[in-house]
Amino acid sequence: MTHPALIAGVVMAADLPTVINNATAWLVGILAALATFFLTLGGIRYMAADGNPGEVERAKGALRSAAIGYGLAILAPVILTVLKKILGI
């Protein structure tokens, strides 16, 4: 007897809301990891800049990218919730 979610070797998702919730969790995790990477990179660049204006700007750019990444990670579930309500899921 095969599992109902396994048909011809293909695993099927239970339903669309489950797929959306799982994708949201993955998306938030990936965005937070990337933002943390850019935050670390920006901090290291800023400390190593030693007053060099070009390196300070590169560090600020990395820190800006981190802030955007954290913002997107926070807003991703909110945006998907709004989309689910619009689509009636």
Side-chain angles (χ1 to χ4, degrees):
M1 178 121 207
T2 62
H3 191 274
L6 184 64
I7 299 175
V10 177
V11 177
M12 297 173 56
D15 55 0
L16 188 58
T18 302
V19 171
I20 291 172
N21 289 336
N22 290 341
T24 302
W26 275 93
L27 179 66
V28 169
I30 291 169
L31 286 171
L34 282 172
T36 302
F37 170 75
F38 280 107
L39 181 66
T40 304
L41 182 66
I44 291 170
R45 279 188 172 164
Y46 194 78
M47 288 189 307
D50 198 31
N52 183 347
E55 286 298 315
V56 170
E57 285 305 313
R58 288 180 71 190
K60 286 180 182 179
L63 293 172
R64 221 174 283 120
S65 296
I68 291 169
Y70 283 125
L72 288 174
I74 290 170
L75 289 176
V78 174
I79 293 168
L80 288 175
T81 301
V82 170
L83 286 175
K84 284 196 299 190
K85 287 189 181 205
I86 289 172
L87 296 174
I89 297 174

